[in-house]
């Protein structure tokens, strides 16, 4: 069975952990969108790995990991990541990691342009990860991007980088940001690219051959549904389709190749970066930060935390076609006596079961809450769903009912072993 793992909230739902858990029964793990704005934490046998561009299946021997055509690749960042993960004892060979020749390339200037755009937005900034994601996807759509395959023609790459550096510098000087030397950018990018070259291939026939041979494919989503450029809280979103459809456009596999969509959500809600967050709760944020939880894996920023929002989840289950939910971080609520679940938004006296499209409606959205009793005990040692306290099972059952999707997995701790199949 081929599976998409999709984030259902604003990212950081625990996708990496669920992908790692499901990789045991997969043959290939595929990233199809986003870039190193993603930060996926995987903890296994006490070792902690943070992955940004490498699919989480890289931690397993003999699994093939694919960075698909829909991903934007920062060659310098990817080489650094490969070195870091290799220094943790994980071999990254050309057999284990395949990079699509159609993927677009993030240049150092894209990161600086990202910063310039944020500076220009002032208090309206998106709160991006400053990894150059927006400017790189903008170049892709604008048909002036650089693709991995272009690196077969070094004269073309040098000319294109030189032109883009000159254009970027004109913008950067306006914001007093550092400008770039085209020759230095070319040298840095081309040297990083040489480390990646043995991994580059046309990944599309590889994936089709694996599919036709009945191998098991696992798509690792990055970001989350409310950060999707179409379905998210626009403009406070990322620049790719983070939802299930992105797995097809970003890999070259058709919809009929996929039978299962596992939607990952936390048992509460978090968001890092700017934008609407109706169920944000300072008390819950302070409590979780006090436990050392909910700091971003990519930027280290504290994530805002709030109650479970089933308006978002209901919508996310619809647009992703979720066939099963993976609810992570249930243990984050262990100490609470009473829990709130948002079932609808009250906007100007009208109840909304789904998120609005209008920007200003978000500012007026008041969550309608339902209270449920907490379980007030430690769940981190539970090894089976049936071991969970009755109130925790009831909380999950209500979540599933409100989202119209069954619970498939529950996370009660960060370790691979702390994942319960239902
Ligand atoms: P991703 O971007 O969706 O892969 O998620 P991140 O790795 O950025 O953030 C999820 C955080 O929650 C990480 O620190 C994980 O180690 C942690 N995590 C995942 N599942 C669980 C869980 O069930 N319980 C606890 N306590 N932590 C979890
Ligand atoms: P994973 O895969 C959480 C957020 C940023 C910002 C917005 C746009 O770990 O879940 P970008 O740099 O993409 O232009 O930033 O999206 N963002 C994430 N938030 N998890 C992520 O990835 C994110 N990737 C981007 O904080 O609000
Ligand atoms: Mg993350």
């Amino acid at each position: 069975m081929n599976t998409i793992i999709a984030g259902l909230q604003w990212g950081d739902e625990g996708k990496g952990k669920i992908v790692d858990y499901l990789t045991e029964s997969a043959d290939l793990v595929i990233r199809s969108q986003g870039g190193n704005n993603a930060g996926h934490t995987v903890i296994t046998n006490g070792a902690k790995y943070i992955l940004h561009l490498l699919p989480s299946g890289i931690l397993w021997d003999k699994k093939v990991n694919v960075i698909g055509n829909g991903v934007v690749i920062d060659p310098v960042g990817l080489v650094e990541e490969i070195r870091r993960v290799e220094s943790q004892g994980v071999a990254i060979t050309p057999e284990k990691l395949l990079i699509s020749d159609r993927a677009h390339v993030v240049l150092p200037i894209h990161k600086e342009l990202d910063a310039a755009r944020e500076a220009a937005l002032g208090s309206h900034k998106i709160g991006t990860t400053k990894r150059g994601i927006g400017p790189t996807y903008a170049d892709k759509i604008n048909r002036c991007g650089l693709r991995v395959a272009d690196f077969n023609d070094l004269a073309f790459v040098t000319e294109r980088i030189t032109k883009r550096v000159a254009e970027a510098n004109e913008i950067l000087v306006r914001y007093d940001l550092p400008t770039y030397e085209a020759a230095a950018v070319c040298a840095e990018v081309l040297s990083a690219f040489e480390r990646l070259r043995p991994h580059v291939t046309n990944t599309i026939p590889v994936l089709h051959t694996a599919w036709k041979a009945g191998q098991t494919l696992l798509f690792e989503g990055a970001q989350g549904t409310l950060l999707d450029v179409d379905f998210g809280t626009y403009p406070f979103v990322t620049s790719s389709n983070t939802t299930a459809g992105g797995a097809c456009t970003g890999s070259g596999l058709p919809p009929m190749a996929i039978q299962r969509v596992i939607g990952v959500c936390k048992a509460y809600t978090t968001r890092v970066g700017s934008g609407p967050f109706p169920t944000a709760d300072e008390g819950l944020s302070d409590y979780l930060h006090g436990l050392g939880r909910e700091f971003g894996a990519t930027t280290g920023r504290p994530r805002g935390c709030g109650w479970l929002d089933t308006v978002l989840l209901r919508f996310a289950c619809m647009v992703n076609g979720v066939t099963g939910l993976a609810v992570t971080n249930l243990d984050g609520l262990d100490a609470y006596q009473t829990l709130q679940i948002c079932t609808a938004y009250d906007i100007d006296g009208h109840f909304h079961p789904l998120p609005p499209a209008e920007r200003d409606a978000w500012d007026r959205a008041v969550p309608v809450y339902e209270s449920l009793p907490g379980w007030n005990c430690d769940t981190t040692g539970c090894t089976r769903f049936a071991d969970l306290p009755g109130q925790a099972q009831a909380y999950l059952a209500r979540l599933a009912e409100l989202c119209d999707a069954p619970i498939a997995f529950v996370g009660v701790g960060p370790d691979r072993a702390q994942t319960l199949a239902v």
Side-chain angles (χ1 to χ4, degrees):
M1 188 159 49
N2 300 331
T3 305
I4 294 175
I5 305 297
L8 301 185
Q9 295 161 321
W10 279 293
D12 300 330
E13 296 90 349
K15 298 175 293 292
K17 182 185 125 161
I18 299 296
V19 170
D20 171 65
Y21 175 81
L22 291 175
T23 299
E24 186 166 17
S25 52
D27 299 299
L28 291 92
V29 182
I30 305 137
R31 268 286 300 272
S32 51
Q33 45 70 229
N36 56 2
N37 49 348
H40 299 172
T41 313
V42 179
I43 300 179
T44 164
N45 302 322
K48 178 172 173 173
Y49 303 89
I50 295 181
L51 304 166
H52 298 289
L53 269 163
L54 292 171
S56 299
I58 205 79
L59 304 178
W60 291 79
D61 282 339
K62 302 195 178 78
K63 307 289 178 181
V64 175
N65 293 271
V66 177
I67 299 180
N69 57 276
V71 176
V72 290
I73 300 174
D74 169 0
V76 179
L78 179 53
V79 169
E80 271 168 25
E81 183 177 341
I82 289 175
R83 295 214 171 107
R84 183 170 44 77
V85 174
E86 280 186 328
S87 76
Q88 291 187 275
V90 178
I92 300 182
T93 59
E95 292 72 40
K96 248 180 103 175
L97 176 68
L98 309 182
I99 298 175
S100 167
D101 52 5
R102 285 176 167 81
H104 277 250
V105 174
V106 182
L107 299 172
I109 51 153
H110 290 122
K111 290 187 256 186
E112 216 58 62
L113 289 171
D114 195 348
R117 216 171 157 268
E118 287 285 89
L121 286 168
S123 62
H124 300 288
K125 69 176 185 190
I126 308 292
T128 73
T129 59
K130 298 198 179 131
R131 297 298 188 271
I133 305 301
T136 307
Y137 277 117
D139 278 6
K140 171 176 173 173
I141 301 301
N142 227 357
R143 294 162 293 184
C144 63
L146 256 189
R147 300 203 298 179
V148 166
D150 292 331
F151 283 73
N152 289 332
D153 180 349
L154 293 182
F156 174 82
V157 170
T158 307
E159 186 200 311
R160 178 59 64 90
I161 292 180
T162 305
K163 185 161 176 284
R164 283 302 279 130
V165 167
E167 288 164 354
N169 282 344
E170 279 179 31
I171 297 171
L172 297 174
V173 285
R174 279 191 241 144
Y175 294 100
D176 278 338
L177 284 165
T179 53
Y180 284 85
E181 273 289 337
V185 173
C186 287
E188 189 186 17
V189 172
L190 291 173
S191 129
F193 191 83
E194 288 314 313
R195 167 65 186 87
L196 305 178
R197 197 182 284 283
H199 300 270
V200 173
T201 189
N202 182 356
T203 50
I204 297 164
V206 175
L207 291 173
H208 276 255
T209 305
W211 171 38
K212 292 287 155 73
Q215 292 197 303
T216 302
L217 312 174
L218 189 57
F219 292 86
E220 173 172 2
Q223 292 80 51
T225 302
L226 277 302
L227 290 172
D228 184 288
V229 67
D230 283 280
F231 302 116
T233 44
Y234 193 88
F236 299 101
V237 295
T238 190
S239 303
S240 65
N241 281 118
T242 63
T243 42
C248 293
T249 55
S251 70
L253 278 164
M256 64 279 255
I258 297 152
Q259 295 78 36
R260 179 168 73 155
V261 180
I262 299 293
V264 188
C265 63
K266 281 178 178 150
Y268 46 93
T269 311
T270 63
R271 169 160 216 176
V272 63
S274 329
F277 186 174
T279 65
D281 187 88
E282 230 172 272
L284 188 56
S285 286
D286 291 347
Y287 168 72
L288 291 166
H289 294 151
L291 296 178
R293 295 166 73 137
E294 303 306 346
F295 292 92
T298 298
T299 57
R301 293 177 290 178
R303 300 175 185 135
C305 306
W307 298 114
L308 189 76
D309 185 339
T310 62
V311 176
L312 308 182
L313 291 181
R314 191 177 293 128
F315 181 62
C317 287
M318 284 167 65
V319 298
N320 287 289
V322 166
T323 58
L325 290 161
V327 183
T328 69
N329 286 272
L330 186 73
D331 53 302
L333 300 176
D334 279 356
Y336 268 79
Q337 298 283 350
T338 306
L339 304 169
Q340 312 291 340
I341 294 187
C342 167
T343 56
Y345 295 157
D346 178 342
I347 303 175
D348 306 329
H350 298 284
F351 277 22
H352 292 254
L354 295 172
E358 300 82 6
R359 300 167 196 223
D360 59 332
W362 282 99
D363 301 332
R364 304 194 307 281
V366 179
V368 178
Y369 284 119
E370 181 176 299
S371 294
L372 272 84
W375 41 97
N376 206 17
C377 68
D378 184 356
T379 57
T380 56
C382 293
T383 52
R384 293 174 313 154
F385 184 78
D387 296 341
L388 290 172
Q391 295 91 333
Q393 293 193 28
Y395 182 80
L396 293 166
R398 184 67 180 132
L399 188 169
E401 183 181 31
L402 287 164
C403 301
D404 196 22
I407 307 279
F409 303 98
V410 179
V412 292
D415 200 273
R416 185 186 283 168
Q418 289 170 303
T419 311
L420 319 180
V422 178

